[in-house]
Amino acid sequence: MGVRTRVAALAAVALAGSVLVAGQADAGGNHSSLKPIATGLNGPRGVSTYKNLVIYSVTDGSVYVTNGRKSVKLGKVPGTGGFPPAIDTNKWGTTYALTGAGGEPGQPPVPGSSTLYRLRYGKTPVKVADIAAYQAHDPDPYNQADSPTESNPFGVAALSDGTVLVSDAANNDLLRVWPNGHVKTVARLKPRTVKVPAGLGNEAPPAGTPFVAEAVATSVTVGSDGYYYVGELRGFPATPGTSEIWRIRPGSVSAVCDPVKPNKGNCQRYADGYTSIVDLAGGPHGTLAVVQLARDSWLAFESGGSTIGSLYLQYPGKNHKAGYKRELVRGQLNLPGGTAFDRWGGLYVSAPVFGPGAVYKVRY
């Protein structure tokens, strides 16, 4: 997948802004709907909540807070490289913004990229940790392409003890960052052997060929059980239905998430069968919200296919495994980027991650 994951590079091939609006496709009749709470946004992505406020990020690195009627700028982080930062807000109201690799593949990284920042209203963003610098000495032992020390931080979750979780979509791991910038590797995601889907063209292996595809750890959240949950995009060939969600024991160090032995150790497979996950949110009673960038896969979209993404509620099942899942606002989200629950179980989603968009409250 590489340091600047194909997801981040999609900005270069994103469709015209007039196409990328929510609500133009068949609603699917599943008794859920979208209510815009912040509109006219350029590439909204990250979403978090604090009390009755919703926090969100946009393409230029700006982070805003809204009460649904008025938005106030919380701050702006450098190093986005044209891709909005991931964000999360802890129980004290401190918001963290995480920049990705930034810049063009093969070129020097954008200053401020691959960095975790702490934001406070009216103050300059504080650099907490340089994620790329840590990954330079923390190679991915299961790397399949490019350098094993490449980094593209993509997902963030603020913990109640003041530390922060970061999922890295190039190093395929989960990190924990302390307020003083100390970093530890919580878990590593191993690649998965998938079958090449049909329709990839003559340059790809024939359909059905087994292919070792990287995990691409795009997302992380904390469930109501206190466990860490990490979602995958699935690297090339982006086979639909092969993105997993992993459940990781709190406090783990160097756990291994292994699709061959998915029920062993401190990292175990929680759910399977998803496609191109880009965000997760932990909700009440063990529920997870799961965002798929494109329901046919990121590669299908990049190849000129549908921009329609997905938002699911994943309910818990038995024995710490996922149970029933329910798709919300079916067909109404183009390239969604982020999601969050509030303290009352209200659910929010942003779309599209490229071009004009909005943050919505989901009525379900």
Short mmCIF file of all heavy atoms in Angstrom, two decimals, residues 114-156:
data_model
loop_
_atom_site.label_atom_id
_atom_site.label_comp_id
_atom_site.label_asym_id
_atom_site.label_seq_id
_atom_site.Cartn_x
_atom_site.Cartn_y
_atom_site.Cartn_z
N SER A 114 2.44 13.62 9.34
CA SER A 114 2.65 12.44 10.19
C SER A 114 2.89 12.82 11.65
O SER A 114 3.77 12.29 12.32
CB SER A 114 3.83 11.61 9.67
OG SER A 114 3.60 11.18 8.35
N THR A 115 2.09 13.75 12.13
CA THR A 115 2.30 14.31 13.46
C THR A 115 0.98 14.37 14.22
O THR A 115 -0.07 14.69 13.66
CB THR A 115 2.90 15.72 13.35
OG1 THR A 115 4.17 15.64 12.69
CG2 THR A 115 3.10 16.35 14.73
N LEU A 116 1.05 14.10 15.52
CA LEU A 116 -0.10 14.23 16.41
C LEU A 116 -0.01 15.58 17.12
O LEU A 116 1.01 15.90 17.74
CB LEU A 116 -0.11 13.11 17.43
CG LEU A 116 -1.25 13.14 18.47
CD1 LEU A 116 -2.60 12.92 17.79
CD2 LEU A 116 -1.01 12.10 19.57
N TYR A 117 -1.10 16.36 17.03
CA TYR A 117 -1.17 17.67 17.66
C TYR A 117 -2.28 17.70 18.72
O TYR A 117 -3.28 17.00 18.61
CB TYR A 117 -1.49 18.76 16.62
CG TYR A 117 -0.40 18.99 15.61
CD1 TYR A 117 -0.42 18.31 14.39
CD2 TYR A 117 0.62 19.90 15.83
CE1 TYR A 117 0.57 18.53 13.43
CE2 TYR A 117 1.61 20.12 14.89
CZ TYR A 117 1.58 19.43 13.69
OH TYR A 117 2.56 19.65 12.75
N ARG A 118 -2.09 18.58 19.70
CA ARG A 118 -3.11 18.83 20.70
C ARG A 118 -3.65 20.25 20.49
O ARG A 118 -2.87 21.19 20.34
CB ARG A 118 -2.52 18.69 22.10
CG ARG A 118 -3.54 18.87 23.23
CD ARG A 118 -2.94 18.49 24.59
NE ARG A 118 -1.82 19.34 24.97
CZ ARG A 118 -0.56 18.91 25.06
NH1 ARG A 118 -0.27 17.64 24.82
NH2 ARG A 118 0.41 19.73 25.42
N LEU A 119 -4.98 20.39 20.49
CA LEU A 119 -5.60 21.67 20.21
C LEU A 119 -6.36 22.19 21.43
O LEU A 119 -7.04 21.43 22.11
CB LEU A 119 -6.59 21.55 19.04
CG LEU A 119 -6.03 21.17 17.67
CD1 LEU A 119 -7.16 20.98 16.67
CD2 LEU A 119 -5.06 22.22 17.19
N ARG A 120 -6.23 23.49 21.65
CA ARG A 120 -7.02 24.18 22.65
C ARG A 120 -7.46 25.50 22.04
O ARG A 120 -6.67 26.19 21.37
CB ARG A 120 -6.21 24.45 23.93
CG ARG A 120 -6.15 23.28 24.89
CD ARG A 120 -7.48 23.01 25.55
NE ARG A 120 -7.38 22.08 26.67
CZ ARG A 120 -8.41 21.71 27.42
NH1 ARG A 120 -9.60 22.19 27.18
NH2 ARG A 120 -8.24 20.86 28.42
N TYR A 121 -8.70 25.88 22.27
CA TYR A 121 -9.25 27.10 21.66
C TYR A 121 -8.41 28.32 22.02
O TYR A 121 -8.07 28.55 23.19
CB TYR A 121 -10.69 27.32 22.13
CG TYR A 121 -11.32 28.56 21.56
CD1 TYR A 121 -11.70 28.62 20.22
CD2 TYR A 121 -11.50 29.69 22.36
CE1 TYR A 121 -12.27 29.77 19.69
CE2 TYR A 121 -12.07 30.85 21.83
CZ TYR A 121 -12.44 30.88 20.50
OH TYR A 121 -13.00 32.02 19.97
N GLY A 122 -8.07 29.10 20.98
CA GLY A 122 -7.34 30.33 21.18
C GLY A 122 -5.85 30.16 21.36
O GLY A 122 -5.13 31.15 21.58
N LYS A 123 -5.36 28.92 21.28
CA LYS A 123 -3.93 28.66 21.47
C LYS A 123 -3.34 27.98 20.24
O LYS A 123 -4.05 27.31 19.49
CB LYS A 123 -3.71 27.79 22.71
CG LYS A 123 -4.17 28.45 24.01
CD LYS A 123 -3.84 27.58 25.21
CE LYS A 123 -4.27 28.25 26.50
NZ LYS A 123 -3.96 27.43 27.70
N THR A 124 -2.04 28.14 20.05
CA THR A 124 -1.35 27.50 18.95
C THR A 124 -1.34 25.98 19.16
O THR A 124 -1.10 25.52 20.28
CB THR A 124 0.10 28.00 18.85
OG1 THR A 124 0.08 29.42 18.68
CG2 THR A 124 0.84 27.35 17.69
N PRO A 125 -1.60 25.19 18.10
CA PRO A 125 -1.56 23.74 18.26
C PRO A 125 -0.21 23.28 18.81
O PRO A 125 0.84 23.80 18.44
CB PRO A 125 -1.77 23.22 16.83
CG PRO A 125 -2.52 24.32 16.15
CD PRO A 125 -2.00 25.58 16.74
N VAL A 126 -0.25 22.33 19.72
CA VAL A 126 0.97 21.80 20.35
C VAL A 126 1.31 20.45 19.72
O VAL A 126 0.48 19.55 19.67
CB VAL A 126 0.76 21.64 21.87
CG1 VAL A 126 1.98 20.97 22.50
CG2 VAL A 126 0.50 22.99 22.51
N LYS A 127 2.55 20.33 19.26
CA LYS A 127 3.02 19.06 18.71
C LYS A 127 3.23 18.07 19.86
O LYS A 127 3.98 18.34 20.79
CB LYS A 127 4.32 19.27 17.95
CG LYS A 127 4.93 18.01 17.39
CD LYS A 127 6.21 18.32 16.65
CE LYS A 127 6.93 17.07 16.18
NZ LYS A 127 8.19 17.38 15.47
N VAL A 128 2.56 16.92 19.77
CA VAL A 128 2.70 15.90 20.80
C VAL A 128 3.74 14.86 20.40
O VAL A 128 4.60 14.49 21.21
CB VAL A 128 1.34 15.21 21.07
CG1 VAL A 128 1.49 14.13 22.14
CG2 VAL A 128 0.30 16.23 21.49
N ALA A 129 3.67 14.37 19.16
CA ALA A 129 4.61 13.33 18.73
C ALA A 129 4.74 13.31 17.22
O ALA A 129 3.76 13.50 16.49
CB ALA A 129 4.14 11.97 19.23
N ASP A 130 5.96 13.07 16.76
CA ASP A 130 6.26 12.86 15.34
C ASP A 130 6.15 11.35 15.09
O ASP A 130 7.05 10.59 15.44
CB ASP A 130 7.66 13.37 15.03
CG ASP A 130 8.02 13.27 13.55
OD1 ASP A 130 7.47 12.39 12.85
OD2 ASP A 130 8.88 14.05 13.09
N ILE A 131 5.04 10.93 14.51
CA ILE A 131 4.79 9.50 14.33
C ILE A 131 5.77 8.89 13.33
O ILE A 131 6.27 7.78 13.53
CB ILE A 131 3.34 9.26 13.87
CG1 ILE A 131 2.35 9.88 14.87
CG2 ILE A 131 3.07 7.78 13.70
CD1 ILE A 131 2.47 9.36 16.27
N ALA A 132 6.07 9.62 12.26
CA ALA A 132 7.00 9.10 11.26
C ALA A 132 8.39 8.85 11.86
O ALA A 132 9.07 7.88 11.50
CB ALA A 132 7.09 10.04 10.07
N ALA A 133 8.82 9.73 12.76
CA ALA A 133 10.13 9.56 13.39
C ALA A 133 10.16 8.28 14.23
O ALA A 133 11.17 7.56 14.24
CB ALA A 133 10.45 10.77 14.26
N TYR A 134 9.05 7.99 14.91
CA TYR A 134 9.00 6.74 15.67
C TYR A 134 9.01 5.53 14.74
O TYR A 134 9.75 4.56 14.97
CB TYR A 134 7.73 6.71 16.53
CG TYR A 134 7.54 5.40 17.25
CD1 TYR A 134 8.23 5.12 18.42
CD2 TYR A 134 6.68 4.43 16.74
CE1 TYR A 134 8.07 3.90 19.08
CE2 TYR A 134 6.51 3.21 17.39
CZ TYR A 134 7.21 2.95 18.55
OH TYR A 134 7.05 1.74 19.19
N GLN A 135 8.22 5.60 13.67
CA GLN A 135 8.14 4.45 12.77
C GLN A 135 9.44 4.20 12.02
O GLN A 135 9.69 3.07 11.56
CB GLN A 135 6.99 4.66 11.76
CG GLN A 135 5.60 4.77 12.39
CD GLN A 135 5.09 3.47 12.98
OE1 GLN A 135 5.83 2.70 13.58
NE2 GLN A 135 3.80 3.23 12.82
N ALA A 136 10.27 5.22 11.89
CA ALA A 136 11.56 5.02 11.23
C ALA A 136 12.43 4.01 11.97
O ALA A 136 13.34 3.40 11.38
CB ALA A 136 12.30 6.36 11.12
N HIS A 137 12.13 3.81 13.26
CA HIS A 137 12.88 2.83 14.06
C HIS A 137 11.97 1.68 14.52
O HIS A 137 12.33 0.94 15.44
CB HIS A 137 13.49 3.54 15.27
CG HIS A 137 14.40 4.68 14.91
ND1 HIS A 137 15.68 4.48 14.44
CD2 HIS A 137 14.19 6.02 14.93
CE1 HIS A 137 16.23 5.65 14.18
NE2 HIS A 137 15.35 6.61 14.47
N ASP A 138 10.83 1.55 13.88
CA ASP A 138 9.85 0.53 14.24
C ASP A 138 9.32 -0.15 12.98
O ASP A 138 8.15 -0.04 12.64
CB ASP A 138 8.70 1.18 15.02
CG ASP A 138 7.68 0.16 15.51
OD1 ASP A 138 8.09 -0.81 16.17
OD2 ASP A 138 6.48 0.35 15.23
N PRO A 139 10.21 -0.83 12.23
CA PRO A 139 9.81 -1.38 10.93
C PRO A 139 8.70 -2.42 11.03
O PRO A 139 8.61 -3.15 12.01
CB PRO A 139 11.11 -2.00 10.40
CG PRO A 139 11.94 -2.26 11.62
CD PRO A 139 11.61 -1.14 12.57
N ASP A 140 7.86 -2.44 10.00
CA ASP A 140 6.79 -3.42 9.91
C ASP A 140 7.38 -4.77 9.47
O ASP A 140 7.84 -4.90 8.34
CB ASP A 140 5.76 -2.94 8.87
CG ASP A 140 4.66 -3.94 8.61
OD1 ASP A 140 4.56 -4.94 9.36
OD2 ASP A 140 3.88 -3.73 7.65
N PRO A 141 7.36 -5.78 10.33
CA PRO A 141 7.97 -7.06 9.96
C PRO A 141 7.17 -7.83 8.92
O PRO A 141 7.67 -8.80 8.36
CB PRO A 141 8.00 -7.82 11.30
CG PRO A 141 6.88 -7.24 12.09
CD PRO A 141 6.81 -5.80 11.70
N TYR A 142 5.96 -7.38 8.64
CA TYR A 142 5.11 -8.09 7.67
C TYR A 142 4.90 -7.26 6.41
O TYR A 142 3.98 -7.51 5.64
CB TYR A 142 3.76 -8.40 8.31
CG TYR A 142 3.87 -8.99 9.70
CD1 TYR A 142 3.43 -8.29 10.82
CD2 TYR A 142 4.46 -10.24 9.91
CE1 TYR A 142 3.55 -8.83 12.09
CE2 TYR A 142 4.59 -10.78 11.17
CZ TYR A 142 4.12 -10.06 12.26
OH TYR A 142 4.25 -10.58 13.53
N ASN A 143 5.76 -6.30 6.18
CA ASN A 143 5.62 -5.39 5.05
C ASN A 143 5.65 -6.14 3.71
O ASN A 143 6.43 -7.07 3.52
CB ASN A 143 6.77 -4.37 5.09
CG ASN A 143 6.67 -3.36 3.98
OD1 ASN A 143 5.76 -2.55 3.96
ND2 ASN A 143 7.63 -3.40 3.06
N GLN A 144 4.78 -5.69 2.79
CA GLN A 144 4.68 -6.33 1.47
C GLN A 144 5.14 -5.42 0.34
O GLN A 144 5.41 -5.89 -0.76
CB GLN A 144 3.23 -6.75 1.21
CG GLN A 144 2.69 -7.76 2.21
CD GLN A 144 3.42 -9.08 2.16
OE1 GLN A 144 3.55 -9.70 1.10
NE2 GLN A 144 3.92 -9.52 3.31
N ALA A 145 5.17 -4.12 0.57
CA ALA A 145 5.53 -3.18 -0.50
C ALA A 145 6.17 -1.93 0.09
O ALA A 145 5.87 -1.55 1.22
CB ALA A 145 4.29 -2.79 -1.30
N ASP A 146 7.05 -1.31 -0.71
CA ASP A 146 7.73 -0.09 -0.28
C ASP A 146 8.56 -0.34 0.98
O ASP A 146 8.84 -1.47 1.34
CB ASP A 146 6.74 1.05 -0.09
CG ASP A 146 5.93 1.33 -1.35
OD1 ASP A 146 6.55 1.43 -2.42
OD2 ASP A 146 4.70 1.43 -1.25
N SER A 147 8.94 0.72 1.67
CA SER A 147 9.81 0.57 2.83
C SER A 147 9.05 0.12 4.06
O SER A 147 7.95 0.61 4.32
CB SER A 147 10.50 1.91 3.12
OG SER A 147 11.16 1.85 4.38
N PRO A 148 9.62 -0.80 4.84
CA PRO A 148 8.94 -1.26 6.06
C PRO A 148 8.90 -0.21 7.17
O PRO A 148 8.25 -0.40 8.18
CB PRO A 148 9.76 -2.47 6.49
CG PRO A 148 11.11 -2.24 5.90
CD PRO A 148 10.87 -1.54 4.59
N THR A 149 9.60 0.93 6.97
CA THR A 149 9.58 1.98 7.99
C THR A 149 8.71 3.16 7.57
O THR A 149 8.69 4.18 8.26
CB THR A 149 11.00 2.49 8.27
OG1 THR A 149 11.58 2.99 7.07
CG2 THR A 149 11.88 1.37 8.83
N GLU A 150 7.99 3.05 6.47
CA GLU A 150 7.13 4.14 6.05
C GLU A 150 5.95 4.30 7.00
O GLU A 150 5.52 3.35 7.66
CB GLU A 150 6.65 3.91 4.63
CG GLU A 150 7.75 4.11 3.60
CD GLU A 150 7.27 3.96 2.19
OE1 GLU A 150 6.40 3.11 1.95
OE2 GLU A 150 7.77 4.69 1.33
N SER A 151 5.42 5.51 7.02
CA SER A 151 4.36 5.83 7.97
C SER A 151 3.30 6.70 7.31
O SER A 151 3.62 7.59 6.53
CB SER A 151 4.96 6.57 9.18
OG SER A 151 3.95 7.01 10.06
N ASN A 152 2.05 6.41 7.60
CA ASN A 152 0.93 7.26 7.20
C ASN A 152 -0.14 7.19 8.28
O ASN A 152 -1.12 6.46 8.17
CB ASN A 152 0.35 6.84 5.85
CG ASN A 152 -0.69 7.83 5.35
OD1 ASN A 152 -0.79 8.95 5.84
ND2 ASN A 152 -1.47 7.42 4.37
N PRO A 153 0.03 7.94 9.37
CA PRO A 153 -0.95 7.91 10.46
C PRO A 153 -2.33 8.30 9.94
O PRO A 153 -2.46 9.29 9.24
CB PRO A 153 -0.42 8.94 11.45
CG PRO A 153 1.02 9.12 11.09
CD PRO A 153 1.11 8.90 9.63
N PHE A 154 -3.36 7.52 10.30
CA PHE A 154 -4.65 7.72 9.65
C PHE A 154 -5.83 7.79 10.61
O PHE A 154 -6.84 8.41 10.33
CB PHE A 154 -4.88 6.58 8.64
CG PHE A 154 -5.75 6.96 7.49
CD1 PHE A 154 -5.21 7.51 6.34
CD2 PHE A 154 -7.12 6.75 7.53
CE1 PHE A 154 -6.00 7.86 5.26
CE2 PHE A 154 -7.93 7.09 6.46
CZ PHE A 154 -7.38 7.64 5.33
N GLY A 155 -5.73 7.12 11.77
CA GLY A 155 -6.83 7.09 12.72
C GLY A 155 -6.36 7.46 14.11
O GLY A 155 -5.22 7.17 14.49
N VAL A 156 -7.24 8.08 14.91
CA VAL A 156 -6.84 8.53 16.24
C VAL A 156 -8.00 8.33 17.22
O VAL A 156 -9.17 8.49 16.87
CB VAL A 156 -6.40 10.02 16.20
CG1 VAL A 156 -7.54 10.92 15.75
CG2 VAL A 156 -5.84 10.48 17.52
#
